[in-house]
Amino acid sequence: SDDILFTANHDSAKTRFIKSTNIPSKEIWFFGGSYTYGWGVNDDFVFVAQIAEKLDSVRVVNYAVPGFGTLQSYLRLRFALESATPDIVVLGHAPFHLMRNVKSRAWRKVLSPYNGLGEIVLPTTTLNRSGPFEIVYDSLHYQPLPFMRLSALVHLIEASFSTLDLRLKNDAEVSLQIVEAMRTLVERQGSRFVVANLTSDRRTPGFADLMRRKGITFLDITVDMRIPDNTLLPIDSHPSN
């Protein structure tokens, strides 16, 4: 297979390397998960790098981290703003980030097989209709239902249980609350905040409508993932740029 050029900065921010102009007049920060980071993609083909290539006199910084949800992006943004101020902040959004923000059972199930580090804690939060949300750190632990490896019926029950878990945790409303908090942090600095949608599911139109009603700029930049050249398949289902 073709070689992949993959470069990361080893400063305190540990961002993915993006070529930038020597004397920038503006600065754009990108946040998100693996789609924004460019998982499995050559440096020059990451969509953030392609945007940077088209912008003269603009420094582009890719703060995305594979596996991050919106809550972790919020924490990374809050830390980055302590030492610098960008002109624009772009949040790369994917619908599966919603389940990550509430540490859902479905997300813990996805992560558990890949956890070889022992006990891991993740940030999570709950819906707060009366004030700022509170961030807590909780264990990644996932306990499968009995006979999961033996019964299709148990798998069906697990799927229904996970769907109910998301509804009870109000994952969409919690995620909107986090996006609003990011917008507030950015606009308080006199900067502009944008959400860029990278992939969609059946819930995306409703979530996009919620954001637009809150006055949050929401841009759909999805590509058709059914086209083989737009993904890393058969190796991986991530986008190819």
Side-chain angles (χ1 to χ4, degrees), residues 1 3 6 8 21 44 51 63 78 95 107 124 137 141 148 185 204 225 227 231:
S1 60
D3 292 334
F6 177 92
T21 182
D44 293 336
I51 290 173
Y63 280 105
R78 194 171 69 180
W107 179 229
T124 187
Y137 291 82
H141 179 69
M148 276 276 291
L185 283 177
T204 301
M225 301 285 277
I227 299 175
T231 73

Side-chain angles (χ1 to χ4, degrees), residues 2 27 63 65 86 125 132-133 164 167 195 241:
D2 295 336
E27 189 159 307
Y63 280 105
V65 177
T125 188
F133 58 88
L164 177 61
R167 289 178 181 171
V195 176
N241 55 38

